Amino acid sequence: MKNPHHKGGFIKILGLVFIILFIGAGIFMLTSESFEKEPPKIIPQAQSWNLKNYFAIQVSDNSGIKNFQVAFIDESGTKIPLEEIFYQDSACLEGEAFMPLGTNPKKPTSKEFCIGIKAPKEIKNNIAKLHLEVSATDTSHWNFFGGNTTTQSLNLEIDTKKPQVAVISNSYKITQGGSALVIFKAFDEHLKSVRVFNGENYFIALPFYEKDYYIALLAWPKDNAEFNATIQATDEAGNTSVVPINYYRVAKKYKSSSIQLTDNFIEGKITSLTEEIGERSLDSFADKLSLFKYINEEVRDYSVRRIMEVASNFDREVVIEDFHLKPFSPLRNGAVMASFGDHRTFIYQGKAVSESNHMGLDLASIKQAPILLSNTGVVILDEFVGIDGNAVIVYHGLGLSSLYAHLTQSAVSVGEEVVAGDSLGVTGSTGLALGDHLHFGILVQGHEVWTSEWMDSKWIADNITKVITEAKNTINQSH
């Protein structure tokens, strides 16, 4: 005969197991990412649209998106789902191409992507507003495996009017490899961005003097044969105005030279610099040539990118009311050892094996000569930078910086405010330098430009000071 107490004990144990499993399942659901409760985020990239460009909507979720829908609500209130939807498999990026969602086999798989929509055919160009409804459901198992859903209504203002842009003043000419200034007015109630384009690179325009006015220094890179300067102003709806800047363009040829490489040079300077950098061991190189190419190409490329990164990172909101500069003269009685723009071809064992552009001015006097600052600024870099060795960059405003390289040691630190006459350090031969000298460079929003212009008082007066004065007079007369 079975013991009833034994049966009751088994039922209690079984019940306890169920309770433990139930609590465990609850804890798992509350803590597991697959049961997360946060709904998807839907972020329209603007509140207005011109009906011509893609309208971008960013969608993101912690667990991923299972499905989404965009619908147009017509005048009668009828919801019409849009069949033609495009996407970027990343956060919304301006200028990035959209891919068709319906035909491309690679659909968004990331937890954050960008929907791009085109205007429905039913839309008339003369409407003032457009009503869209966007919904997205995530892959969470919450809500009985149904997931979390977000639905957002968008009432978009239709704006097809381009920003108004007018050049107020600009430098008369620009030389290949050199710089120029432009001041202009750009107005739109919903202005989003203003920038200057040289046919290859964009330059940020900074606020100038009064509301709706902007100023920008731009560069004509030495190797850009297709220089063509324009102002581009874009509003939130996607309307863009493109206005030319009528510079007189002066082509310039820069010196070219051939340099013979010797084993002694590679075994000496190149080897010691490689060891100082410390990223690769000497035995990782197949031969002397690969060691030289590593320094002249890979390390040089890093140095250029690092200098660009630092010199292009500046305050873009500060209002420029004036800009005074003295000619740069960083080294007293310095003799020119190499000029800006020199193109060098390196010859090894009778063959051209590598090349480079020298994008600064090399000056030499006595060993460990003091380097003097010509214009007030803020130190934005003080570090060892590949081929530049110990380098200092000073930011002077308006996107303009000066570079001092190959120093034995610096006398400043990042963030320090320095004034004209201060010593930045002493010359040396750190980095890819054969003898004690200063490599001096001028950077416009990170782009290396012809140094001679910025060492010439007349050029500064004609291309910077007078342009600013003329623009301010024009603005004052308009009141």
Side-chain angles (χ1 to χ4, degrees), residues 128-150:
K129 288 187 177 295
L130 179 66
H131 185 193
L132 294 175
E133 184 179 275
V134 186
S135 64
T137 301
D138 63 20
T139 58
S140 171
H141 294 154
W142 193 250
N143 289 326
F144 300 100
F145 294 86
N148 306 290
T149 299
T150 297

Side-chain angles (χ1 to χ4, degrees), residues 59-127:
V59 181
S60 62
D61 187 81
N62 294 333
S63 62
I65 300 296
K66 180 166 60 179
N67 57 63
F68 61 86
Q69 186 183 68
V70 182
F72 158 58
I73 311 299
D74 67 13
E75 295 177 354
S76 67
T78 303
K79 185 188 298 184
I80 306 173
L82 300 183
E83 296 180 358
E84 194 174 27
I85 299 177
F86 301 79
Y87 77 100
Q88 298 171 2
D89 207 358
S90 65
C92 292
L93 298 172
E94 187 175 352
E96 188 77 10
F98 281 93
M99 297 175 285
L101 190 62
T103 59
N104 195 303
K106 182 188 175 186
K107 295 184 179 182
T109 56
S110 60
K111 295 181 181 180
E112 182 177 45
F113 58 91
C114 186
I115 300 171
I117 64 171
K118 286 188 172 182
K121 296 177 181 179
E122 299 87 348
I123 298 298
K124 298 178 181 179
N125 289 330
N126 60 352
I127 64 170

